[in-house]
Amino acid sequence: SHSERGERVSSAIAVGGDARLARRLGQPAAHASPLGPWVHDISFGANQSEAAFSGKMALSRSGVYYLLLSSCEPETGLVLVSGHTTWQNPYGYLPGELYPFLPFFGLMCFMYAVLGCGWLALCLKHRTVLLPLQTHIGAVLVLGLIETGIWYLDYSSFNSGGSRGVAPVVLGVLISASKKTLSRLLVLAVCLGYGVVRPTLGSVAYQVLALGVVYFIFSAIFDVFSNISQISEVSVPLRLLLILPVASLDAFFYWWVFSGLTRT
């Protein structure tokens, strides 16, 4: 806190506020917190214009809270307040809407590991008659294991440290986009007859690969912005601009899949 005059000043920190405060903010009184103002005295020396303080408040129930800083002594003059706040839940720093992802990705990583081990055992048992298609299915399982493991570590680090790194998010997005792309290409290739009624796709393989590359690029971009929106705001028009190419490519995948099934 910074004051233009060297005297004692009281600062009231209201977390949530009362009904009158809620009405001033344009909120209905029903949304106001029953907590009253928390007053913390800050003393400025005779020749000092700056002072620091820190505080901690425990909340007894979930809800929407407001943090307001107010100088309670009008005689103090202009007061400039700067600093940062940290909000922590009983389980850690993850916001409430993101916390379910932590156990979800932990369970998914375990399930992918179990499924991958079972698939590996079957592949080793029948390795003499394996098709390339079954090897690619194993690659999808490996990508799924890596993807869910990265997301679990990302959310676990976020929950324990309070900050989210960019590198795990980008890596997780790239692995996720690779898995989605490869799984779609495998479904499309099978529906076109690959590994079932024809050993190769011929010239159609280049078209399938081109579609996969385009889908991977747009899917990765969309997933990056989707995860960024969990940390900062992303405008609705930008979201629509990013989701339209992915939705169009998915629709084209579905059309090609059903078209291939009717011809095969």
PDB file of all heavy atoms in Angstrom, residues 108-126 130 134 137-146:
ATOM      1  N   MET A 108      -8.029 -42.896 -16.579  1.00  0.00           N
ATOM      2  CA  MET A 108      -7.867 -43.218 -17.996  1.00  0.00           C
ATOM      3  C   MET A 108      -6.462 -43.707 -18.301  1.00  0.00           C
ATOM      4  O   MET A 108      -6.266 -44.636 -19.104  1.00  0.00           O
ATOM      5  CB  MET A 108      -8.187 -41.991 -18.837  1.00  0.00           C
ATOM      6  CG  MET A 108      -9.665 -41.649 -18.905  1.00  0.00           C
ATOM      7  SD  MET A 108     -10.628 -42.927 -19.751  1.00  0.00           S
ATOM      8  CE  MET A 108      -9.955 -42.820 -21.406  1.00  0.00           C
ATOM      9  N   CYS A 109      -5.460 -43.099 -17.665  1.00  0.00           N
ATOM     10  CA  CYS A 109      -4.071 -43.548 -17.878  1.00  0.00           C
ATOM     11  C   CYS A 109      -3.907 -44.990 -17.406  1.00  0.00           C
ATOM     12  O   CYS A 109      -3.268 -45.809 -18.075  1.00  0.00           O
ATOM     13  CB  CYS A 109      -3.126 -42.616 -17.135  1.00  0.00           C
ATOM     14  SG  CYS A 109      -1.373 -42.969 -17.406  1.00  0.00           S
ATOM     15  N   PHE A 110      -4.491 -45.312 -16.258  1.00  0.00           N
ATOM     16  CA  PHE A 110      -4.421 -46.688 -15.740  1.00  0.00           C
ATOM     17  C   PHE A 110      -5.120 -47.655 -16.683  1.00  0.00           C
ATOM     18  O   PHE A 110      -4.599 -48.748 -16.971  1.00  0.00           O
ATOM     19  CB  PHE A 110      -5.041 -46.732 -14.345  1.00  0.00           C
ATOM     20  CG  PHE A 110      -5.144 -48.119 -13.778  1.00  0.00           C
ATOM     21  CD1 PHE A 110      -4.027 -48.767 -13.283  1.00  0.00           C
ATOM     22  CD2 PHE A 110      -6.366 -48.772 -13.748  1.00  0.00           C
ATOM     23  CE1 PHE A 110      -4.127 -50.058 -12.770  1.00  0.00           C
ATOM     24  CE2 PHE A 110      -6.475 -50.047 -13.233  1.00  0.00           C
ATOM     25  CZ  PHE A 110      -5.351 -50.690 -12.742  1.00  0.00           C
ATOM     26  N   MET A 111      -6.292 -47.270 -17.191  1.00  0.00           N
ATOM     27  CA  MET A 111      -7.040 -48.148 -18.085  1.00  0.00           C
ATOM     28  C   MET A 111      -6.291 -48.355 -19.401  1.00  0.00           C
ATOM     29  O   MET A 111      -6.269 -49.463 -19.944  1.00  0.00           O
ATOM     30  CB  MET A 111      -8.424 -47.571 -18.346  1.00  0.00           C
ATOM     31  CG  MET A 111      -9.320 -47.502 -17.110  1.00  0.00           C
ATOM     32  SD  MET A 111      -9.601 -49.112 -16.355  1.00  0.00           S
ATOM     33  CE  MET A 111     -10.522 -49.927 -17.658  1.00  0.00           C
ATOM     34  N   TYR A 112      -5.686 -47.291 -19.933  1.00  0.00           N
ATOM     35  CA  TYR A 112      -4.894 -47.437 -21.151  1.00  0.00           C
ATOM     36  C   TYR A 112      -3.701 -48.368 -20.919  1.00  0.00           C
ATOM     37  O   TYR A 112      -3.334 -49.157 -21.809  1.00  0.00           O
ATOM     38  CB  TYR A 112      -4.394 -46.074 -21.623  1.00  0.00           C
ATOM     39  CG  TYR A 112      -5.278 -45.411 -22.648  1.00  0.00           C
ATOM     40  CD1 TYR A 112      -5.957 -44.228 -22.354  1.00  0.00           C
ATOM     41  CD2 TYR A 112      -5.439 -45.954 -23.920  1.00  0.00           C
ATOM     42  CE1 TYR A 112      -6.768 -43.612 -23.295  1.00  0.00           C
ATOM     43  CE2 TYR A 112      -6.241 -45.353 -24.871  1.00  0.00           C
ATOM     44  CZ  TYR A 112      -6.903 -44.179 -24.554  1.00  0.00           C
ATOM     45  OH  TYR A 112      -7.711 -43.582 -25.490  1.00  0.00           O
ATOM     46  N   ALA A 113      -3.074 -48.286 -19.742  1.00  0.00           N
ATOM     47  CA  ALA A 113      -1.937 -49.155 -19.436  1.00  0.00           C
ATOM     48  C   ALA A 113      -2.376 -50.622 -19.386  1.00  0.00           C
ATOM     49  O   ALA A 113      -1.702 -51.508 -19.939  1.00  0.00           O
ATOM     50  CB  ALA A 113      -1.313 -48.740 -18.111  1.00  0.00           C
ATOM     51  N   VAL A 114      -3.531 -50.884 -18.744  1.00  0.00           N
ATOM     52  CA  VAL A 114      -4.031 -52.260 -18.667  1.00  0.00           C
ATOM     53  C   VAL A 114      -4.404 -52.768 -20.054  1.00  0.00           C
ATOM     54  O   VAL A 114      -4.041 -53.893 -20.444  1.00  0.00           O
ATOM     55  CB  VAL A 114      -5.249 -52.326 -17.718  1.00  0.00           C
ATOM     56  CG1 VAL A 114      -5.892 -53.713 -17.767  1.00  0.00           C
ATOM     57  CG2 VAL A 114      -4.828 -51.993 -16.298  1.00  0.00           C
ATOM     58  N   LEU A 115      -5.126 -51.938 -20.818  1.00  0.00           N
ATOM     59  CA  LEU A 115      -5.531 -52.345 -22.163  1.00  0.00           C
ATOM     60  C   LEU A 115      -4.324 -52.534 -23.076  1.00  0.00           C
ATOM     61  O   LEU A 115      -4.276 -53.476 -23.884  1.00  0.00           O
ATOM     62  CB  LEU A 115      -6.472 -51.291 -22.750  1.00  0.00           C
ATOM     63  CG  LEU A 115      -7.111 -51.613 -24.105  1.00  0.00           C
ATOM     64  CD1 LEU A 115      -7.953 -52.878 -24.012  1.00  0.00           C
ATOM     65  CD2 LEU A 115      -7.974 -50.444 -24.578  1.00  0.00           C
ATOM     66  N   GLY A 116      -3.327 -51.658 -22.931  1.00  0.00           N
ATOM     67  CA  GLY A 116      -2.118 -51.778 -23.752  1.00  0.00           C
ATOM     68  C   GLY A 116      -1.342 -53.052 -23.452  1.00  0.00           C
ATOM     69  O   GLY A 116      -0.837 -53.713 -24.363  1.00  0.00           O
ATOM     70  N   CYS A 117      -1.252 -53.407 -22.171  1.00  0.00           N
ATOM     71  CA  CYS A 117      -0.555 -54.647 -21.800  1.00  0.00           C
ATOM     72  C   CYS A 117      -1.288 -55.869 -22.352  1.00  0.00           C
ATOM     73  O   CYS A 117      -0.665 -56.823 -22.841  1.00  0.00           O
ATOM     74  CB  CYS A 117      -0.428 -54.749 -20.284  1.00  0.00           C
ATOM     75  SG  CYS A 117       0.703 -53.537 -19.547  1.00  0.00           S
ATOM     76  N   GLY A 118      -2.618 -55.841 -22.265  1.00  0.00           N
ATOM     77  CA  GLY A 118      -3.385 -56.956 -22.823  1.00  0.00           C
ATOM     78  C   GLY A 118      -3.232 -57.060 -24.324  1.00  0.00           C
ATOM     79  O   GLY A 118      -3.087 -58.168 -24.878  1.00  0.00           O
ATOM     80  N   TRP A 119      -3.255 -55.903 -25.011  1.00  0.00           N
ATOM     81  CA  TRP A 119      -3.076 -55.905 -26.469  1.00  0.00           C
ATOM     82  C   TRP A 119      -1.680 -56.374 -26.858  1.00  0.00           C
ATOM     83  O   TRP A 119      -1.523 -57.123 -27.833  1.00  0.00           O
ATOM     84  CB  TRP A 119      -3.337 -54.506 -27.015  1.00  0.00           C
ATOM     85  CG  TRP A 119      -3.316 -54.425 -28.511  1.00  0.00           C
ATOM     86  CD1 TRP A 119      -2.281 -54.007 -29.307  1.00  0.00           C
ATOM     87  CD2 TRP A 119      -4.370 -54.794 -29.404  1.00  0.00           C
ATOM     88  NE1 TRP A 119      -2.618 -54.082 -30.628  1.00  0.00           N
ATOM     89  CE2 TRP A 119      -3.909 -54.567 -30.712  1.00  0.00           C
ATOM     90  CE3 TRP A 119      -5.660 -55.296 -29.209  1.00  0.00           C
ATOM     91  CZ2 TRP A 119      -4.697 -54.823 -31.825  1.00  0.00           C
ATOM     92  CZ3 TRP A 119      -6.445 -55.544 -30.329  1.00  0.00           C
ATOM     93  CH2 TRP A 119      -5.955 -55.307 -31.618  1.00  0.00           C
ATOM     94  N   LEU A 120      -0.667 -55.960 -26.098  1.00  0.00           N
ATOM     95  CA  LEU A 120       0.698 -56.394 -26.375  1.00  0.00           C
ATOM     96  C   LEU A 120       0.846 -57.897 -26.199  1.00  0.00           C
ATOM     97  O   LEU A 120       1.507 -58.573 -27.017  1.00  0.00           O
ATOM     98  CB  LEU A 120       1.676 -55.661 -25.452  1.00  0.00           C
ATOM     99  CG  LEU A 120       3.156 -56.032 -25.582  1.00  0.00           C
ATOM    100  CD1 LEU A 120       3.669 -55.733 -26.986  1.00  0.00           C
ATOM    101  CD2 LEU A 120       3.980 -55.302 -24.533  1.00  0.00           C
ATOM    102  N   ALA A 121       0.229 -58.435 -25.162  1.00  0.00           N
ATOM    103  CA  ALA A 121       0.302 -59.884 -24.934  1.00  0.00           C
ATOM    104  C   ALA A 121      -0.354 -60.646 -26.081  1.00  0.00           C
ATOM    105  O   ALA A 121       0.183 -61.671 -26.557  1.00  0.00           O
ATOM    106  CB  ALA A 121      -0.366 -60.225 -23.603  1.00  0.00           C
ATOM    107  N   LEU A 122      -1.497 -60.171 -26.556  1.00  0.00           N
ATOM    108  CA  LEU A 122      -2.165 -60.835 -27.679  1.00  0.00           C
ATOM    109  C   LEU A 122      -1.358 -60.713 -28.967  1.00  0.00           C
ATOM    110  O   LEU A 122      -1.290 -61.662 -29.765  1.00  0.00           O
ATOM    111  CB  LEU A 122      -3.563 -60.244 -27.871  1.00  0.00           C
ATOM    112  CG  LEU A 122      -4.588 -60.550 -26.769  1.00  0.00           C
ATOM    113  CD1 LEU A 122      -5.887 -59.793 -27.022  1.00  0.00           C
ATOM    114  CD2 LEU A 122      -4.843 -62.051 -26.688  1.00  0.00           C
ATOM    115  N   CYS A 123      -0.736 -59.557 -29.171  1.00  0.00           N
ATOM    116  CA  CYS A 123       0.085 -59.378 -30.377  1.00  0.00           C
ATOM    117  C   CYS A 123       1.297 -60.298 -30.359  1.00  0.00           C
ATOM    118  O   CYS A 123       1.685 -60.860 -31.401  1.00  0.00           O
ATOM    119  CB  CYS A 123       0.517 -57.923 -30.500  1.00  0.00           C
ATOM    120  SG  CYS A 123      -0.815 -56.785 -30.946  1.00  0.00           S
ATOM    121  N   LEU A 124       1.915 -60.465 -29.193  1.00  0.00           N
ATOM    122  CA  LEU A 124       3.065 -61.369 -29.096  1.00  0.00           C
ATOM    123  C   LEU A 124       2.635 -62.818 -29.302  1.00  0.00           C
ATOM    124  O   LEU A 124       3.369 -63.623 -29.898  1.00  0.00           O
ATOM    125  CB  LEU A 124       3.742 -61.206 -27.737  1.00  0.00           C
ATOM    126  CG  LEU A 124       4.464 -59.877 -27.496  1.00  0.00           C
ATOM    127  CD1 LEU A 124       5.009 -59.810 -26.078  1.00  0.00           C
ATOM    128  CD2 LEU A 124       5.582 -59.676 -28.506  1.00  0.00           C
ATOM    129  N   LYS A 125       1.457 -63.166 -28.827  1.00  0.00           N
ATOM    130  CA  LYS A 125       0.970 -64.534 -28.972  1.00  0.00           C
ATOM    131  C   LYS A 125       0.672 -64.868 -30.430  1.00  0.00           C
ATOM    132  O   LYS A 125       0.934 -65.992 -30.891  1.00  0.00           O
ATOM    133  CB  LYS A 125      -0.290 -64.723 -28.114  1.00  0.00           C
ATOM    134  CG  LYS A 125      -0.880 -66.121 -28.171  1.00  0.00           C
ATOM    135  CD  LYS A 125      -2.106 -66.233 -27.281  1.00  0.00           C
ATOM    136  CE  LYS A 125      -2.708 -67.632 -27.358  1.00  0.00           C
ATOM    137  NZ  LYS A 125      -3.922 -67.762 -26.486  1.00  0.00           N
ATOM    138  N   HIS A 126       0.137 -63.892 -31.172  1.00  0.00           N
ATOM    139  CA  HIS A 126      -0.252 -64.129 -32.563  1.00  0.00           C
ATOM    140  C   HIS A 126       0.632 -63.318 -33.525  1.00  0.00           C
ATOM    141  O   HIS A 126       0.161 -62.879 -34.574  1.00  0.00           O
ATOM    142  CB  HIS A 126      -1.718 -63.730 -32.767  1.00  0.00           C
ATOM    143  CG  HIS A 126      -2.669 -64.424 -31.846  1.00  0.00           C
ATOM    144  ND1 HIS A 126      -3.055 -65.743 -32.009  1.00  0.00           N
ATOM    145  CD2 HIS A 126      -3.325 -63.978 -30.734  1.00  0.00           C
ATOM    146  CE1 HIS A 126      -3.902 -66.079 -31.052  1.00  0.00           C
ATOM    147  NE2 HIS A 126      -4.085 -65.034 -30.264  1.00  0.00           N
ATOM    148  N   LEU A 130       0.062 -61.376 -37.588  1.00  0.00           N
ATOM    149  CA  LEU A 130      -0.367 -60.004 -37.348  1.00  0.00           C
ATOM    150  C   LEU A 130      -0.512 -59.239 -38.653  1.00  0.00           C
ATOM    151  O   LEU A 130       0.275 -59.409 -39.594  1.00  0.00           O
ATOM    152  CB  LEU A 130       0.647 -59.272 -36.459  1.00  0.00           C
ATOM    153  CG  LEU A 130       0.536 -59.464 -34.941  1.00  0.00           C
ATOM    154  CD1 LEU A 130       1.566 -58.603 -34.238  1.00  0.00           C
ATOM    155  CD2 LEU A 130      -0.862 -59.136 -34.451  1.00  0.00           C
ATOM    156  N   GLN A 134      -3.267 -54.019 -37.138  1.00  0.00           N
ATOM    157  CA  GLN A 134      -3.256 -54.286 -35.697  1.00  0.00           C
ATOM    158  C   GLN A 134      -2.074 -53.611 -35.011  1.00  0.00           C
ATOM    159  O   GLN A 134      -2.164 -53.213 -33.845  1.00  0.00           O
ATOM    160  CB  GLN A 134      -3.235 -55.803 -35.469  1.00  0.00           C
ATOM    161  CG  GLN A 134      -4.516 -56.475 -35.931  1.00  0.00           C
ATOM    162  CD  GLN A 134      -4.392 -57.975 -36.069  1.00  0.00           C
ATOM    163  OE1 GLN A 134      -3.344 -58.483 -36.476  1.00  0.00           O
ATOM    164  NE2 GLN A 134      -5.464 -58.699 -35.760  1.00  0.00           N
ATOM    165  N   ILE A 137      -3.183 -50.091 -34.442  1.00  0.00           N
ATOM    166  CA  ILE A 137      -4.082 -50.008 -33.286  1.00  0.00           C
ATOM    167  C   ILE A 137      -3.267 -49.931 -31.997  1.00  0.00           C
ATOM    168  O   ILE A 137      -3.594 -49.168 -31.070  1.00  0.00           O
ATOM    169  CB  ILE A 137      -5.048 -51.205 -33.262  1.00  0.00           C
ATOM    170  CG1 ILE A 137      -5.993 -51.141 -34.464  1.00  0.00           C
ATOM    171  CG2 ILE A 137      -5.847 -51.237 -31.961  1.00  0.00           C
ATOM    172  CD1 ILE A 137      -6.898 -52.345 -34.590  1.00  0.00           C
ATOM    173  N   GLY A 138      -2.199 -50.707 -31.941  1.00  0.00           N
ATOM    174  CA  GLY A 138      -1.300 -50.621 -30.786  1.00  0.00           C
ATOM    175  C   GLY A 138      -0.689 -49.238 -30.643  1.00  0.00           C
ATOM    176  O   GLY A 138      -0.511 -48.735 -29.527  1.00  0.00           O
ATOM    177  N   ALA A 139      -0.373 -48.588 -31.769  1.00  0.00           N
ATOM    178  CA  ALA A 139       0.171 -47.231 -31.719  1.00  0.00           C
ATOM    179  C   ALA A 139      -0.844 -46.248 -31.142  1.00  0.00           C
ATOM    180  O   ALA A 139      -0.490 -45.335 -30.389  1.00  0.00           O
ATOM    181  CB  ALA A 139       0.601 -46.791 -33.117  1.00  0.00           C
ATOM    182  N   VAL A 140      -2.131 -46.436 -31.475  1.00  0.00           N
ATOM    183  CA  VAL A 140      -3.184 -45.586 -30.913  1.00  0.00           C
ATOM    184  C   VAL A 140      -3.257 -45.755 -29.398  1.00  0.00           C
ATOM    185  O   VAL A 140      -3.410 -44.772 -28.647  1.00  0.00           O
ATOM    186  CB  VAL A 140      -4.544 -45.908 -31.563  1.00  0.00           C
ATOM    187  CG1 VAL A 140      -5.667 -45.149 -30.870  1.00  0.00           C
ATOM    188  CG2 VAL A 140      -4.521 -45.556 -33.044  1.00  0.00           C
ATOM    189  N   LEU A 141      -3.133 -46.994 -28.923  1.00  0.00           N
ATOM    190  CA  LEU A 141      -3.162 -47.240 -27.481  1.00  0.00           C
ATOM    191  C   LEU A 141      -1.970 -46.590 -26.786  1.00  0.00           C
ATOM    192  O   LEU A 141      -2.107 -46.020 -25.691  1.00  0.00           O
ATOM    193  CB  LEU A 141      -3.170 -48.746 -27.210  1.00  0.00           C
ATOM    194  CG  LEU A 141      -4.413 -49.512 -27.657  1.00  0.00           C
ATOM    195  CD1 LEU A 141      -4.249 -51.006 -27.387  1.00  0.00           C
ATOM    196  CD2 LEU A 141      -5.643 -48.979 -26.939  1.00  0.00           C
ATOM    197  N   VAL A 142      -0.801 -46.641 -27.403  1.00  0.00           N
ATOM    198  CA  VAL A 142       0.384 -46.005 -26.825  1.00  0.00           C
ATOM    199  C   VAL A 142       0.202 -44.489 -26.760  1.00  0.00           C
ATOM    200  O   VAL A 142       0.526 -43.849 -25.751  1.00  0.00           O
ATOM    201  CB  VAL A 142       1.646 -46.371 -27.632  1.00  0.00           C
ATOM    202  CG1 VAL A 142       2.846 -45.561 -27.148  1.00  0.00           C
ATOM    203  CG2 VAL A 142       1.944 -47.858 -27.504  1.00  0.00           C
ATOM    204  N   LEU A 143      -0.322 -43.914 -27.841  1.00  0.00           N
ATOM    205  CA  LEU A 143      -0.573 -42.472 -27.839  1.00  0.00           C
ATOM    206  C   LEU A 143      -1.601 -42.092 -26.773  1.00  0.00           C
ATOM    207  O   LEU A 143      -1.472 -41.057 -26.111  1.00  0.00           O
ATOM    208  CB  LEU A 143      -1.055 -42.017 -29.216  1.00  0.00           C
ATOM    209  CG  LEU A 143      -0.011 -42.005 -30.343  1.00  0.00           C
ATOM    210  CD1 LEU A 143      -0.666 -41.646 -31.667  1.00  0.00           C
ATOM    211  CD2 LEU A 143       1.109 -41.025 -30.022  1.00  0.00           C
ATOM    212  N   GLY A 144      -2.625 -42.923 -26.596  1.00  0.00           N
ATOM    213  CA  GLY A 144      -3.619 -42.662 -25.555  1.00  0.00           C
ATOM    214  C   GLY A 144      -3.007 -42.711 -24.165  1.00  0.00           C
ATOM    215  O   GLY A 144      -3.347 -41.893 -23.294  1.00  0.00           O
ATOM    216  N   LEU A 145      -2.108 -43.671 -23.939  1.00  0.00           N
ATOM    217  CA  LEU A 145      -1.430 -43.774 -22.645  1.00  0.00           C
ATOM    218  C   LEU A 145      -0.573 -42.543 -22.380  1.00  0.00           C
ATOM    219  O   LEU A 145      -0.593 -41.974 -21.275  1.00  0.00           O
ATOM    220  CB  LEU A 145      -0.571 -45.042 -22.621  1.00  0.00           C
ATOM    221  CG  LEU A 145       0.306 -45.247 -21.380  1.00  0.00           C
ATOM    222  CD1 LEU A 145      -0.560 -45.401 -20.137  1.00  0.00           C
ATOM    223  CD2 LEU A 145       1.211 -46.464 -21.556  1.00  0.00           C
ATOM    224  N   ILE A 146       0.185 -42.116 -23.386  1.00  0.00           N
ATOM    225  CA  ILE A 146       1.036 -40.931 -23.219  1.00  0.00           C
ATOM    226  C   ILE A 146       0.187 -39.679 -23.012  1.00  0.00           C
ATOM    227  O   ILE A 146       0.486 -38.828 -22.157  1.00  0.00           O
ATOM    228  CB  ILE A 146       1.954 -40.769 -24.439  1.00  0.00           C
ATOM    229  CG1 ILE A 146       2.898 -41.973 -24.565  1.00  0.00           C
ATOM    230  CG2 ILE A 146       2.770 -39.479 -24.333  1.00  0.00           C
ATOM    231  CD1 ILE A 146       3.745 -41.952 -25.830  1.00  0.00           C
TER     232      ILE A 146
END
